[in-house]
């Protein structure tokens, strides 16, 4: 029976879970993992599948998808036991900047802080895990509710450190559409400010 070709779905787990047509790109997981790179920049034309590939990486590695090997059964990455054992065993932070299209620096910075605060809310269980010092607990609460522009640049670094301590594994950080706010900054004349903040 022919599978449905679903248009516009960029969520790997939904495509696989609902059995939509999918071209197997999971060999990219092995290729990327075995490259040993600390940082990878994926540049491709628009509509090339970057977001779906990042969703695939998140679904494969993230502890949030532990015991969801069924999503990869029948795909090339599932042929090797090494990778079957790896599925769902890493802390993954995934951020998309796709909807940050603001006309000025202040609004852009505020929207980025909102994204980061949502991340801290998602991982609020870390505060009760006994891995944070008293000062870190206070910092964590501040990042959840009232992150300042000065604190934001270190927020991702700190959260990845907390997750590393909790899981005992380096954190995989996936950033999608990072260039969207940068493009808006260029068009609206606040490029230098946003480049400095993003660095």
């Amino acid at each position: 029976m022919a599978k449905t070709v679903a248009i516009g779905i960029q969520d790997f787990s939904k495509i696989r879970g609902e059995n939509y047509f999918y071209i197997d790109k999971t060999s990219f997981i092995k290729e990327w993992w075995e490259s040993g790179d600390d940082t990878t920049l994926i540049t491709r034309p628009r509509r090339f599948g970057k977001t779906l590939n990042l969703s695939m990486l998140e679904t494969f590695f993230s502890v949030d998808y532990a015991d969801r090997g069924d999503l990869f059964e029948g795909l090339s990455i599932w042929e090797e036991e090494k990778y079957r054992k790896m599925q769902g065993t890493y802390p993954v932070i995934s951020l998309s900047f796709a909807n940050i299209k603001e006309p000025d620096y202040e609004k852009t910075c505020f929207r980025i802080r909102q994204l980061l605060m949502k991340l801290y809310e998602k991982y609020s269980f870390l505060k009760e895990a006994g891995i944070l010092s008293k000062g870190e607990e206070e910092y964590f609460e501040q990042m959840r509710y009232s992150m300042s522009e000065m604190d934001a640049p270190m927020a991702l670094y700190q959260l990845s450190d907390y997750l590393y301590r909790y899981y005992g594994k380096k954190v995989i950080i996936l950033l999608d559409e990072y260039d969207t706010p940068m493009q808006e900054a260029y068009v609206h004349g606040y490029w230098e400010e946003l480049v400095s903040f993003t660095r």
Side-chain angles (χ1 to χ4, degrees):
M1 185 169 123
K3 291 189 177 183
T4 301
V5 178
I7 306 297
I9 297 177
Q10 298 176 319
D11 183 330
F12 178 84
S13 63
K14 183 174 182 179
I15 287 175
R16 293 291 291 166
E18 298 186 18
N19 203 28
Y20 293 132
F21 179 77
Y22 175 71
I23 295 173
D24 187 356
K25 294 184 181 179
T26 58
S27 58
F28 172 73
I29 297 169
K30 179 181 177 181
E31 180 184 333
W32 176 73
W33 188 257
E34 293 183 359
S35 73
D37 297 333
D38 278 346
T39 305
T40 303
L41 176 64
I42 301 172
T43 56
R44 292 288 185 273
R46 290 184 60 75
R47 314 273 36 104
F48 197 80
K50 296 184 297 294
T51 298
L52 179 56
N53 276 347
L54 287 178
S55 177
M56 173 188 70
L57 287 172
E58 180 182 9
T59 305
F60 184 78
F61 286 107
S62 177
V63 293
D64 293 342
Y65 292 93
D67 302 318
R68 288 307 316 267
D70 59 296
L71 296 171
F72 294 91
E73 287 176 5
L75 300 176
S76 64
I77 195 65
W78 215 242
E79 293 170 6
E80 290 186 49
E81 184 179 358
K82 169 186 172 181
Y83 288 98
R84 290 196 299 272
K85 288 182 177 178
M86 199 181 289
Q87 194 275 320
T89 61
Y90 277 82
V92 175
I93 294 174
S94 183
L95 274 177
S96 173
F97 296 95
N99 294 320
I100 301 181
K101 301 175 182 177
E102 304 300 332
D104 59 58
Y105 173 74
E106 288 73 23
K107 288 186 179 115
T108 299
C109 191
F110 176 73
R111 293 289 307 283
I112 292 172
R113 292 199 321 266
Q114 283 183 316
L115 282 179
L116 293 170
M117 285 189 284
K118 278 188 173 184
L119 269 182
Y120 272 79
E121 187 60 35
K122 175 182 178 180
Y123 294 110
S124 60
F125 66 85
L126 293 171
K127 196 167 166 269
E128 313 303 325
I131 60 164
L132 305 180
S133 69
K134 184 72 175 165
E136 287 172 334
E137 286 180 13
E138 291 171 7
Y139 174 87
F140 199 100
E141 282 303 289
Q142 187 177 332
M143 295 303 99
R144 283 175 68 188
Y145 299 116
S146 58
M147 185 183 302
S148 73
E149 185 178 329
M150 294 297 291
D151 287 326
M154 288 298 290
L156 202 55
Y157 172 83
Q158 287 299 127
L159 183 58
S160 64
D161 178 56
Y162 302 153
L163 287 168
Y164 171 73
R165 282 191 251 162
Y166 183 81
Y167 288 105
K169 288 186 173 184
K170 284 189 174 182
V171 179
I172 296 170
I173 300 175
L174 304 172
L175 302 177
D176 194 20
E177 299 274 358
Y178 73 93
D179 56 326
T180 298
M182 300 305 293
Q183 184 175 345
E184 294 298 315
Y186 181 78
V187 169
H188 295 289
Y190 56 94
W191 171 263
E192 293 298 332
E193 289 174 290
L194 191 59
V195 166
S196 176
F197 174 81
T198 305
R199 279 200 187 111

